């Protein structure tokens, strides 16, 4: 199996076009078609369905996509490792790591985590991709990232390994200490009447809020929706409305008295920081170092 053919396959899969892949790689279109045919003959399965001028990756092609990305990545890593002087290899781990994350973890946790990791392993290059949970799952399946962080209910994902990191409370936030007119905890009916600034629907804790409201036959129409939790917190500080966010996102503001968790009659909601990676992925030394560091950072005891 030639690296050239694998690289061509990845380009065709990315661009969904033989002609566009040919332009990108500097080949003729017939050469691209030949390389894909050679790869399909080796694997014994069609990788693309060809209908007129359009193509679509097959189920077998989608399965091969993960391994093709892994082969390409390991090839680059092998070349980089050999080219690095021996004294540097002996002194530090090196290479590249590709991390995925949702917004809340990326803004509130990753800066400190990656700063500390970089101090220990300055030769390891880390790139971070911030996407929705569903997109991160697809990127791991296609081997476009090595692992991802998510905040959600405890869950399993087919063909993925999981590490539970921490249990987190999701809280209602206000710019002022807020109770009802009788000085008692706020009911869900009262909450639903207030202005809210929320993260976009469909993700982790926003789904939990919608579920909670549904149990009380209530809904909230936010005055502003914003994907970035830091921006949401700034808007709450400006008294635009209340919000519903992980406690860790607003911990510093709460401790400094700039924001306040609301007392409500609703049950407390907890979610879990988790990391996932593909079960078939080769865990490189640098990835193993990161996984060990993450567990240490969160105080997870190895089993």
């Amino acid at each position: 199996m030639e690296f050239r053919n694998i690289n061509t396959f990845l380009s065709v899969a990315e661009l969904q076009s033989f002609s566009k892949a040919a332009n990108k790689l500097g080949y003729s279109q017939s050469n691209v078609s030949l390389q894909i045919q050679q790869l399909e003959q080796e694997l014994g399965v069609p990788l693309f369905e060809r209908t007129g001028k359009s193509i679509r990756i097959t189920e077998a092609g989608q399965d091969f996509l993960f391994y093709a990305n892994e082969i390409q990545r390991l090839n680059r890593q092998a070349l980089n490792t050999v080219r690095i002087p021996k004294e540097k290899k002996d002194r530090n781990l090196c290479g590249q790591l590709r991390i995925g994350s949702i917004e809340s973890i990326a803004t509130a946790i990753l800066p400190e985590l990656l700063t500390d990791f970089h101090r220990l392993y300055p030769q390891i290059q880390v790139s971070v991709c911030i996407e929705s949970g569903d997109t991160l799952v697809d990127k791991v399946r296609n081997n476009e990232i090595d692992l991802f962080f998510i905040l959600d209910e405890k869950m399993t994902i087919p063909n993925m390994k999981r590490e539970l990191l921490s249990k987190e409370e999701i809280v209602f936030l206000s710019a002022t200490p807020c109770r009802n007119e009788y000085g008692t905890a706020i009911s869900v009916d009262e909450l639903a009447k207030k202005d809210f600034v929320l993260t976009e629907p469909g993700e982790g804790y926003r789904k939990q809020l919608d579920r909670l409201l549904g149990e009380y036959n209530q809904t909230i129409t936010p005055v502003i929706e914003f994907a970035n939790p830091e921006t949401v917190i700034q808007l709450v500080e400006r008294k635009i409305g209340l919000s519903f966010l992980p406690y860790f996102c607003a911990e510093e503001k709460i401790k400094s008295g700039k924001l306040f968790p609301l007392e409500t009659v609703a049950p407390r909601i907890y979610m879990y920081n988790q990391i996932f990676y593909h079960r078939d992925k080769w865990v490189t030394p640098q990835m193993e170092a990161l996984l060990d560091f993450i567990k240490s950072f969160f105080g997870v005891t190895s089993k």
Side-chain angles (χ1 to χ4, degrees):
M1 192 174 294
E2 294 187 20
F3 287 122
R4 182 184 67 166
N5 292 355
I6 292 172
N7 187 51
T8 297
F9 164 75
L10 289 171
S11 293
V12 174
E14 176 191 0
L15 300 171
Q16 299 182 46
S17 167
F18 281 69
S19 60
K20 290 180 181 177
N23 289 334
K24 176 183 176 181
L25 299 171
Y27 297 144
S28 65
Q29 188 168 334
S30 61
N31 192 292
V32 168
S33 298
L34 177 62
Q35 289 181 48
I36 297 300
Q37 288 171 11
Q38 290 172 342
L39 199 53
E40 289 175 328
Q41 288 171 3
E42 281 190 272
L43 295 170
V45 292
L47 298 174
F48 297 99
E49 292 179 357
R50 302 155 175 86
T51 307
K53 294 184 178 181
S54 65
I55 66 165
R56 186 174 68 87
I57 192 165
T58 64
E59 185 175 345
Q62 193 66 47
D63 290 339
F64 182 64
L65 190 59
F66 170 84
Y67 297 100
N69 272 306
E70 183 77 346
I71 290 167
Q72 186 186 64
R73 186 181 68 83
L74 290 175
N75 180 47
R76 286 198 300 265
Q77 183 176 312
L79 292 173
N80 290 336
T81 299
V82 170
R83 289 167 180 162
I84 293 173
K86 183 177 185 304
E87 62 272 13
K88 286 190 178 181
K89 286 191 287 186
D90 291 342
R91 187 167 66 247
N92 284 308
L93 282 174
C94 58
Q96 186 178 38
L97 290 170
R98 305 159 301 167
I99 298 172
S101 177
I102 61 169
E103 280 273 2
S104 58
I105 295 175
T107 56
I109 294 176
L110 287 191
E112 181 182 355
L113 186 152
L114 293 179
T115 296
D116 292 348
F117 182 73
H118 176 71
R119 287 175 181 149
L120 283 176
Y121 302 101
Q123 301 298 326
I124 295 178
Q125 297 175 321
V126 180
S127 59
V128 179
C129 166
I130 302 173
E131 293 284 0
S132 67
D134 290 341
T135 300
L136 293 173
V137 171
D138 289 339
K139 284 184 175 293
V140 164
R141 285 179 175 152
N142 294 337
N143 201 20
E144 296 173 26
I145 56 176
D146 299 311
L147 59 86
F148 69 86
F149 291 81
I150 195 166
L151 178 69
D152 213 317
E153 299 175 286
K154 286 183 183 179
M155 62 183 186
T156 57
I157 302 174
N159 300 320
M160 301 273 182
K161 289 186 178 181
R162 180 195 69 180
E163 296 282 354
L164 283 175
L165 301 176
S166 62
K167 182 179 179 180
E168 305 289 349
E169 185 175 5
I170 317 300
V171 297
F172 289 96
L173 292 170
S174 171
T176 57
C178 188
R179 299 170 74 90
N180 67 13
E181 59 184 309
Y182 305 107
T184 58
I186 299 172
S187 70
V188 174
D189 290 346
E190 289 175 291
L191 278 174
K193 295 175 183 176
K194 297 184 179 296
D195 289 338
F196 268 81
V197 181
L198 296 174
T199 52
E200 294 175 326
E203 285 301 322
Y205 41 89
R206 179 68 188 273
K207 287 191 292 187
Q208 287 290 339
L209 174 60
D210 293 338
R211 188 177 304 165
L212 171 66
L213 293 168
E215 290 176 2
Y216 290 85
N217 198 31
Q218 292 288 350
T219 59
I220 287 175
T221 301
V223 294
I224 298 177
E225 287 182 330
F226 212 101
N228 187 291
E230 282 191 347
T231 303
V232 171
I233 287 171
Q234 290 179 35
L235 292 170
V236 175
E237 278 191 276
R238 289 170 168 80
K239 300 182 180 180
I240 301 297
L242 309 181
S243 195
F244 186 70
L245 289 170
Y247 182 91
F248 66 75
C249 286
E251 186 171 7
E252 291 185 8
K253 301 287 186 181
I254 292 170
K255 288 180 177 178
S256 65
K258 295 179 179 178
L259 290 180
F260 300 87
L262 298 186
E263 291 187 51
T264 76
V265 299
R268 289 176 178 262
I269 291 179
Y270 295 92
M271 302 182 77
Y272 294 84
N273 280 319
Q274 302 160 76
I275 49 175
F276 286 89
Y277 57 97
H278 202 288
R279 71 178 185 186
D280 294 333
K281 187 171 186 63
W282 176 53
V283 178
T284 61
Q286 60 267 32
M287 184 172 166
E288 184 177 13
L290 178 62
L291 288 169
D292 288 343
F293 179 82
I294 290 169
K295 286 186 277 189
S296 174
F297 183 89
F298 281 92
V300 176
T301 304
S302 298
K303 297 179 181 179

